[in-house]
PDB file of all heavy atoms in Angstrom:
ATOM      1  N   MET G  22     -10.722 -19.656  27.138  1.00 50.00           N
ATOM      2  CA  MET G  22     -11.171 -19.672  25.760  1.00 50.00           C
ATOM      3  C   MET G  22     -11.063 -18.289  25.117  1.00 50.00           C
ATOM      4  O   MET G  22     -10.775 -18.177  23.949  1.00 50.00           O
ATOM      5  CB  MET G  22     -12.602 -20.182  25.720  1.00 50.00           C
ATOM      6  CG  MET G  22     -13.100 -20.382  24.338  1.00 50.00           C
ATOM      7  SD  MET G  22     -14.115 -21.831  24.326  1.00 50.00           S
ATOM      8  CE  MET G  22     -14.801 -21.717  22.746  1.00 50.00           C
ATOM      9  N   LYS G  23     -11.286 -17.250  25.917  1.00 57.00           N
ATOM     10  CA  LYS G  23     -11.191 -15.901  25.375  1.00 57.00           C
ATOM     11  C   LYS G  23      -9.767 -15.554  24.968  1.00 57.00           C
ATOM     12  O   LYS G  23      -9.556 -14.843  24.009  1.00 57.00           O
ATOM     13  CB  LYS G  23     -11.719 -14.875  26.376  1.00 57.00           C
ATOM     14  CG  LYS G  23     -13.213 -14.860  26.487  1.00 57.00           C
ATOM     15  CD  LYS G  23     -13.668 -13.721  27.357  1.00 57.00           C
ATOM     16  CE  LYS G  23     -15.178 -13.697  27.403  1.00 57.00           C
ATOM     17  NZ  LYS G  23     -15.673 -12.571  28.176  1.00 57.00           N
ATOM     18  N   LYS G  24      -8.775 -16.056  25.701  1.00 62.00           N
ATOM     19  CA  LYS G  24      -7.388 -15.797  25.348  1.00 62.00           C
ATOM     20  C   LYS G  24      -7.056 -16.375  23.976  1.00 62.00           C
ATOM     21  O   LYS G  24      -6.405 -15.743  23.161  1.00 62.00           O
ATOM     22  CB  LYS G  24      -6.454 -16.396  26.390  1.00 62.00           C
ATOM     23  CG  LYS G  24      -6.129 -15.499  27.515  1.00 62.00           C
ATOM     24  CD  LYS G  24      -5.060 -16.146  28.364  1.00 62.00           C
ATOM     25  CE  LYS G  24      -4.653 -15.216  29.473  1.00 62.00           C
ATOM     26  NZ  LYS G  24      -3.655 -15.834  30.326  1.00 62.00           N
ATOM     27  N   ALA G  25      -7.461 -17.599  23.751  1.00 68.00           N
ATOM     28  CA  ALA G  25      -7.182 -18.242  22.469  1.00 68.00           C
ATOM     29  C   ALA G  25      -7.859 -17.488  21.333  1.00 68.00           C
ATOM     30  O   ALA G  25      -7.288 -17.321  20.261  1.00 68.00           O
ATOM     31  CB  ALA G  25      -7.646 -19.690  22.492  1.00 68.00           C
ATOM     32  N   TRP G  26      -9.079 -17.014  21.545  1.00 75.00           N
ATOM     33  CA  TRP G  26      -9.783 -16.261  20.504  1.00 75.00           C
ATOM     34  C   TRP G  26      -9.066 -14.938  20.227  1.00 75.00           C
ATOM     35  O   TRP G  26      -8.927 -14.518  19.089  1.00 75.00           O
ATOM     36  CB  TRP G  26     -11.228 -16.020  20.899  1.00 75.00           C
ATOM     37  CG  TRP G  26     -11.945 -15.133  19.933  1.00 75.00           C
ATOM     38  CD1 TRP G  26     -12.446 -13.906  20.177  1.00 75.00           C
ATOM     39  CD2 TRP G  26     -12.213 -15.394  18.556  1.00 75.00           C
ATOM     40  NE1 TRP G  26     -13.010 -13.381  19.047  1.00 75.00           N
ATOM     41  CE2 TRP G  26     -12.884 -14.283  18.027  1.00 75.00           C
ATOM     42  CE3 TRP G  26     -11.945 -16.461  17.703  1.00 75.00           C
ATOM     43  CZ2 TRP G  26     -13.296 -14.198  16.702  1.00 75.00           C
ATOM     44  CZ3 TRP G  26     -12.358 -16.376  16.383  1.00 75.00           C
ATOM     45  CH2 TRP G  26     -13.018 -15.264  15.898  1.00 75.00           C
ATOM     46  N   GLY G  27      -8.554 -14.290  21.258  1.00 79.00           N
ATOM     47  CA  GLY G  27      -7.837 -13.034  21.087  1.00 79.00           C
ATOM     48  C   GLY G  27      -6.564 -13.206  20.274  1.00 79.00           C
ATOM     49  O   GLY G  27      -6.246 -12.401  19.413  1.00 79.00           O
ATOM     50  N   LYS G  28      -5.838 -14.283  20.535  1.00 84.00           N
ATOM     51  CA  LYS G  28      -4.609 -14.554  19.780  1.00 84.00           C
ATOM     52  C   LYS G  28      -4.913 -14.872  18.325  1.00 84.00           C
ATOM     53  O   LYS G  28      -4.227 -14.413  17.423  1.00 84.00           O
ATOM     54  CB  LYS G  28      -3.837 -15.706  20.420  1.00 84.00           C
ATOM     55  CG  LYS G  28      -3.184 -15.347  21.722  1.00 84.00           C
ATOM     56  CD  LYS G  28      -2.449 -16.544  22.291  1.00 84.00           C
ATOM     57  CE  LYS G  28      -1.857 -16.212  23.651  1.00 84.00           C
ATOM     58  NZ  LYS G  28      -1.177 -17.375  24.239  1.00 84.00           N
ATOM     59  N   LYS G  29      -5.948 -15.677  18.107  1.00 85.00           N
ATOM     60  CA  LYS G  29      -6.336 -16.012  16.729  1.00 85.00           C
ATOM     61  C   LYS G  29      -6.819 -14.778  15.989  1.00 85.00           C
ATOM     62  O   LYS G  29      -6.497 -14.586  14.814  1.00 85.00           O
ATOM     63  CB  LYS G  29      -7.425 -17.088  16.729  1.00 85.00           C
ATOM     64  CG  LYS G  29      -6.946 -18.441  17.124  1.00 85.00           C
ATOM     65  CD  LYS G  29      -8.082 -19.444  17.109  1.00 85.00           C
ATOM     66  CE  LYS G  29      -7.632 -20.795  17.601  1.00 85.00           C
ATOM     67  NZ  LYS G  29      -8.734 -21.748  17.658  1.00 85.00           N
ATOM     68  N   PHE G  30      -7.594 -13.944  16.676  1.00 86.00           N
ATOM     69  CA  PHE G  30      -8.083 -12.704  16.077  1.00 86.00           C
ATOM     70  C   PHE G  30      -6.914 -11.830  15.634  1.00 86.00           C
ATOM     71  O   PHE G  30      -6.876 -11.325  14.525  1.00 86.00           O
ATOM     72  CB  PHE G  30      -8.974 -11.955  17.072  1.00 86.00           C
ATOM     73  CG  PHE G  30      -9.431 -10.604  16.604  1.00 86.00           C
ATOM     74  CD1 PHE G  30     -10.434 -10.489  15.661  1.00 86.00           C
ATOM     75  CD2 PHE G  30      -8.841  -9.450  17.096  1.00 86.00           C
ATOM     76  CE1 PHE G  30     -10.857  -9.251  15.221  1.00 86.00           C
ATOM     77  CE2 PHE G  30      -9.255  -8.204  16.664  1.00 86.00           C
ATOM     78  CZ  PHE G  30     -10.264  -8.106  15.720  1.00 86.00           C
ATOM     79  N   PHE G  31      -5.939 -11.679  16.509  1.00 87.00           N
ATOM     80  CA  PHE G  31      -4.772 -10.864  16.189  1.00 87.00           C
ATOM     81  C   PHE G  31      -3.954 -11.489  15.073  1.00 87.00           C
ATOM     82  O   PHE G  31      -3.566 -10.809  14.113  1.00 87.00           O
ATOM     83  CB  PHE G  31      -3.901 -10.669  17.432  1.00 87.00           C
ATOM     84  CG  PHE G  31      -2.676  -9.844  17.159  1.00 87.00           C
ATOM     85  CD1 PHE G  31      -2.769  -8.463  17.087  1.00 87.00           C
ATOM     86  CD2 PHE G  31      -1.449 -10.452  16.957  1.00 87.00           C
ATOM     87  CE1 PHE G  31      -1.650  -7.697  16.816  1.00 87.00           C
ATOM     88  CE2 PHE G  31      -0.327  -9.696  16.688  1.00 87.00           C
ATOM     89  CZ  PHE G  31      -0.425  -8.318  16.621  1.00 87.00           C
ATOM     90  N   LEU G  32      -3.714 -12.780  15.167  1.00 85.00           N
ATOM     91  CA  LEU G  32      -2.847 -13.467  14.220  1.00 85.00           C
ATOM     92  C   LEU G  32      -3.457 -13.579  12.823  1.00 85.00           C
ATOM     93  O   LEU G  32      -2.759 -13.409  11.822  1.00 85.00           O
ATOM     94  CB  LEU G  32      -2.500 -14.862  14.755  1.00 85.00           C
ATOM     95  CG  LEU G  32      -1.440 -15.627  13.990  1.00 85.00           C
ATOM     96  CD1 LEU G  32      -0.115 -14.884  14.011  1.00 85.00           C
ATOM     97  CD2 LEU G  32      -1.280 -17.016  14.586  1.00 85.00           C
ATOM     98  N   PHE G  33      -4.756 -13.835  12.734  1.00 87.00           N
ATOM     99  CA  PHE G  33      -5.369 -14.101  11.439  1.00 87.00           C
ATOM    100  C   PHE G  33      -6.179 -12.938  10.866  1.00 87.00           C
ATOM    101  O   PHE G  33      -6.593 -12.995   9.712  1.00 87.00           O
ATOM    102  CB  PHE G  33      -6.261 -15.351  11.524  1.00 87.00           C
ATOM    103  CG  PHE G  33      -5.468 -16.591  11.774  1.00 87.00           C
ATOM    104  CD1 PHE G  33      -5.524 -17.231  12.995  1.00 87.00           C
ATOM    105  CD2 PHE G  33      -4.636 -17.105  10.797  1.00 87.00           C
ATOM    106  CE1 PHE G  33      -4.787 -18.376  13.238  1.00 87.00           C
ATOM    107  CE2 PHE G  33      -3.891 -18.239  11.021  1.00 87.00           C
ATOM    108  CZ  PHE G  33      -3.955 -18.880  12.245  1.00 87.00           C
ATOM    109  N   LEU G  34      -6.404 -11.884  11.641  1.00 88.00           N
ATOM    110  CA  LEU G  34      -7.155 -10.746  11.108  1.00 88.00           C
ATOM    111  C   LEU G  34      -6.365  -9.443  11.216  1.00 88.00           C
ATOM    112  O   LEU G  34      -6.083  -8.801  10.207  1.00 88.00           O
ATOM    113  CB  LEU G  34      -8.498 -10.599  11.817  1.00 88.00           C
ATOM    114  CG  LEU G  34      -9.383  -9.488  11.238  1.00 88.00           C
ATOM    115  CD1 LEU G  34      -9.823  -9.835   9.831  1.00 88.00           C
ATOM    116  CD2 LEU G  34     -10.562  -9.228  12.121  1.00 88.00           C
ATOM    117  N   VAL G  35      -5.991  -9.074  12.409  1.00 89.00           N
ATOM    118  CA  VAL G  35      -5.328  -7.787  12.610  1.00 89.00           C
ATOM    119  C   VAL G  35      -3.975  -7.739  11.906  1.00 89.00           C
ATOM    120  O   VAL G  35      -3.685  -6.808  11.161  1.00 89.00           O
ATOM    121  CB  VAL G  35      -5.174  -7.481  14.116  1.00 89.00           C
ATOM    122  CG1 VAL G  35      -4.369  -6.215  14.332  1.00 89.00           C
ATOM    123  CG2 VAL G  35      -6.535  -7.360  14.770  1.00 89.00           C
ATOM    124  N   LEU G  36      -3.131  -8.718  12.131  1.00 90.00           N
ATOM    125  CA  LEU G  36      -1.798  -8.726  11.548  1.00 90.00           C
ATOM    126  C   LEU G  36      -1.814  -8.740  10.016  1.00 90.00           C
ATOM    127  O   LEU G  36      -1.119  -7.919   9.401  1.00 90.00           O
ATOM    128  CB  LEU G  36      -0.994  -9.901  12.104  1.00 90.00           C
ATOM    129  CG  LEU G  36       0.503  -9.847  11.919  1.00 90.00           C
ATOM    130  CD1 LEU G  36       1.095  -8.614  12.584  1.00 90.00           C
ATOM    131  CD2 LEU G  36       1.135 -11.100  12.498  1.00 90.00           C
ATOM    132  N   PRO G  37      -2.589  -9.599   9.343  1.00 90.00           N
ATOM    133  CA  PRO G  37      -2.622  -9.556   7.875  1.00 90.00           C
ATOM    134  C   PRO G  37      -3.179  -8.240   7.315  1.00 90.00           C
ATOM    135  O   PRO G  37      -2.654  -7.717   6.334  1.00 90.00           O
ATOM    136  CB  PRO G  37      -3.528 -10.732   7.488  1.00 90.00           C
ATOM    137  CG  PRO G  37      -3.491 -11.634   8.644  1.00 90.00           C
ATOM    138  CD  PRO G  37      -3.322 -10.768   9.851  1.00 90.00           C
TER     139      PRO G  37
END
Side-chain angles (χ1 to χ4, degrees):
M22 187 142 170
K23 285 187 178 183
K24 271 188 177 178
W26 174 245
K28 288 180 184 178
K29 288 180 184 177
F30 175 76
F31 180 79
L32 189 62
F33 294 109
L34 184 67
V35 174
L36 197 60

